Amino acid sequence: MSEILDVVIVGGGLVGGLTALLLAQGGVQPTVLDAAPVLAEAQVLPVVNPRVLALSQATIHLLKIVGVWKEIARHMPYTGMQVWNKNGYGEIAFGHELQAFPPEDQWLGSMVEPSILNLAIQKKLLENVQDYRTQIKVTHIEQGINGWHLQLADGSAVYTRLLIGADGAQSFVREQAMIDLDVLDYKQSAVSCAIKTAQPHQHVARQIFLPTGPLAYLPMASIQPEEYGYWQSIVWTLPEGYADEYLALSDEEFARLLTKESQHMLGEVQIVRSRASFPLKARSTQRYVKKGLALIGDAAHVIHPLAGQGVNIGCLDAAILCDALLHDARRGVWAHEQTLLRYEHRRKGQNAAMMHGMSVLGWLETRELFPVIWARNLGKKQVNQQPLIKDLFMMQASGLIHLKDTRYCKTGE
């Protein structure tokens, strides 16, 4: 029998990598099995990824703790948000507009390309995790008496007391552990691409609700200094069938359609790059844990991209789990069953509330019944006029409140 490892993390992306770095910083060296290759700066930095991740204040705070944030090559902070419905008069606005790069104390969050983020995470994993393996495929997972046995494609095997599945929505760890998954098919697809607009974004994230679904303009960094502020990443939620039709349009036709449907929110759409689409389905595992096993991030839950919170709740999973595990380690125990159940209890309810809340909001914003239109318009107007309610929304969106009782609590929060 080979050595029994304390913890193996399958998946080295944002959530898995953050988990590994938090554990290593706390004195527990994990083994990380990552299917992806090591990224090269020369290949990543010159290419603009058309999709961005909207990182919350809590996620940025956690990335700072493990030293990843200072390695981020480029990002675009946002200091304001605007949400409104095409067929209505109410809107909700948070924060404010800025022309220049904002000071950090004014950020609501920041937009980062996944490739740029993964490059920074890999760099810190290579520096801080002693057993970080890339281009590794797990072919079989089986529960043993005191842990989990993993068979790898290269013929080797590892045995661990704790297995953490951070391997995404199509999680092999979840499948092999025979944990059931509930799926809600929205019958929608999202079209994403990068666009250049005639007017600058002024560090404001904008979202308009159309009868077909929400259209979001997300500020993104540009490589050319003279184009600062004019590039956005869009996520356009559409009914099934629309996405293929829109992808078939020429760039010029799509730009004209987008300009019209967005109500010229930033003037004419001048350039369109790298259009793609993906189906939208909410996923939630019936369990987050089994004996000696925990699921985090998209392996445990996938929510509608409406509020851009999917990646952030995954990072909160990582922080809550690591805080509990390191507390156990200090007491001389490891991955106790009750500890894992407490993690599940704390995160499953919060994540389910977020998932169902986004589903209800999406339904309300696309209904064309007069009572619904009247109620949502009045609701937006009332919320926009109530600073205390807006502050509460922003506190929840920041994610910092969920770190309050952990070792990762931000000073002053």
Side-chain angles (χ1 to χ4, degrees):
M1 178 65 66
S2 60
E3 175 190 4
I4 301 179
L5 303 172
D6 284 330
V7 54
V8 169
I9 302 170
V10 178
L14 170 57
V15 176
L18 175 61
T19 303
L21 291 169
L22 289 173
L23 289 175
Q25 189 178 73
V28 175
Q29 274 291 333
T31 291
V32 179
L33 306 179
D34 192 359
V38 174
L39 299 171
E41 287 189 2
Q43 295 175 321
V44 173
L45 296 184
V47 180
V48 176
N49 192 317
R51 292 185 64 186
V52 294
L53 300 174
L55 303 187
S56 69
Q57 293 178 38
T59 296
I60 293 172
H61 173 63
L62 291 169
L63 292 175
K64 286 180 178 179
I65 287 175
V66 295
V68 168
W69 188 250
K70 64 182 180 182
E71 305 294 342
I72 300 291
R74 62 176 176 262
H75 66 101
M76 183 56 66
Y78 60 98
T79 59
M81 292 190 295
Q82 285 181 284
V83 180
W84 73 100
N85 196 292
K86 181 179 180 180
N87 297 327
Y89 57 81
E91 76 163 21
I92 302 177
F94 300 94
H96 55 272
E97 298 177 348
L98 279 177
Q99 294 285 355
F101 196 89
E104 192 169 342
D105 61 359
Q106 296 185 31
W107 296 3
L108 299 181
S110 194
M111 307 291 179
V112 184
E113 299 155 59
S115 53
I116 296 294
L117 186 55
N118 289 336
L119 182 67
I121 289 170
Q122 282 193 345
K123 180 177 181 181
K124 300 309 292 185
L125 287 172
L126 290 167
E127 291 175 357
N128 295 284
V129 175
Q130 297 169 8
D131 191 9
Y132 171 44
R133 312 183 199 181
T134 60
Q135 294 181 283
I136 290 291
K137 182 179 180 181
V138 181
T139 58
H140 182 71
I141 300 174
E142 186 175 347
Q143 187 171 18
I145 298 175
N146 295 310
W148 292 82
H149 181 271
L150 288 78
Q151 189 68 40
L152 309 183
D154 62 6
S156 63
V158 294
Y159 196 79
T160 180
R161 294 182 179 88
L162 174 62
L163 173 60
I164 298 177
D167 51 340
Q170 306 299 327
S171 173
F172 184 69
V173 173
R174 182 187 65 225
E175 176 190 312
Q176 292 281 289
M178 294 184 290
I179 296 177
D180 291 333
L181 181 69
D182 295 324
V183 179
L184 173 60
D185 189 344
Y186 291 113
K187 306 296 182 182
Q188 295 174 323
S189 293
V191 171
S192 67
C193 64
I195 62 171
K196 183 182 178 183
T197 54
Q199 299 170 15
H201 53 63
Q202 299 179 308
H203 297 278
V204 175
R206 298 170 171 86
Q207 184 161 255
I208 179 172
F209 284 92
L210 306 171
T212 52
L215 167 62
Y217 274 31
L218 309 174
M220 67 182 300
S222 54
I223 295 179
Q224 302 299 328
E226 65 272 16
E227 295 180 334
Y228 178 87
Y230 289 90
W231 281 93
Q232 342 274 326
S233 173
I234 74 157
V235 180
W236 193 351
T237 300
L238 297 160
E240 283 183 332
Y242 279 59
D244 290 340
E245 179 182 338
Y246 288 3
L247 290 177
L249 297 174
S250 68
D251 284 347
E252 293 75 17
E253 291 171 327
F254 184 78
R256 286 195 295 270
L257 176 65
L258 187 56
T259 300
K260 176 185 175 183
E261 291 298 310
S262 69
Q263 297 184 320
H264 294 74
M265 71 167 81
L266 289 175
E268 181 184 357
V269 176
Q270 299 175 334
I271 300 176
V272 175
R273 287 183 182 165
S274 306
R275 273 178 291 160
S277 69
F278 51 94
L280 296 181
K281 297 180 181 180
R283 305 168 188 265
S284 179
T285 58
Q286 294 185 2
R287 301 179 64 183
Y288 281 20
V289 302
K290 294 182 76 170
K291 184 178 180 181
L293 180 144
L295 300 176
I296 57 176
D298 285 357
H301 47 75
V302 176
I303 70 171
H304 197 289
L306 184 60
Q309 288 297 311
V311 67
N312 295 310
I313 63 176
C315 289
L316 289 174
D317 291 347
I320 301 304
L321 178 61
C322 289
D323 181 66
L325 291 172
L326 293 174
H327 178 72
D328 270 9
R330 192 167 60 245
R331 296 186 300 126
V333 297
W334 181 245
H336 192 278
E337 188 172 2
Q338 290 302 314
T339 299
L340 298 181
L341 287 172
R342 282 196 298 272
Y343 154 74
E344 176 184 75
H345 177 74
R346 181 166 179 177
R347 295 302 302 149
K348 197 170 190 295
Q350 292 174 352
N351 294 340
M354 175 70 74
M355 182 180 74
H356 295 306
M358 291 304 100
S359 298
V360 170
L361 180 58
W363 182 88
L364 286 173
E365 290 290 354
T366 55
R367 297 307 98 180
E368 294 304 303
L369 298 173
F370 175 76
V372 177
I373 295 173
W374 178 83
R376 73 188 179 212
N377 289 340
L378 180 62
K380 286 193 185 76
K381 184 177 180 180
Q382 292 297 320
V383 169
N384 203 47
Q385 294 174 347
Q386 298 293 327
L388 290 178
I389 297 178
K390 290 169 70 173
D391 288 346
L392 180 61
F393 282 167
M394 294 310 301
M395 185 185 304
Q396 288 292 329
S398 77
L400 293 170
I401 191 172
H402 300 296
L403 298 177
K404 185 176 180 181
D405 298 323
T406 73
R407 70 192 64 219
Y408 311 118
C409 177
K410 187 175 181 180
T411 304
E413 297 293 341

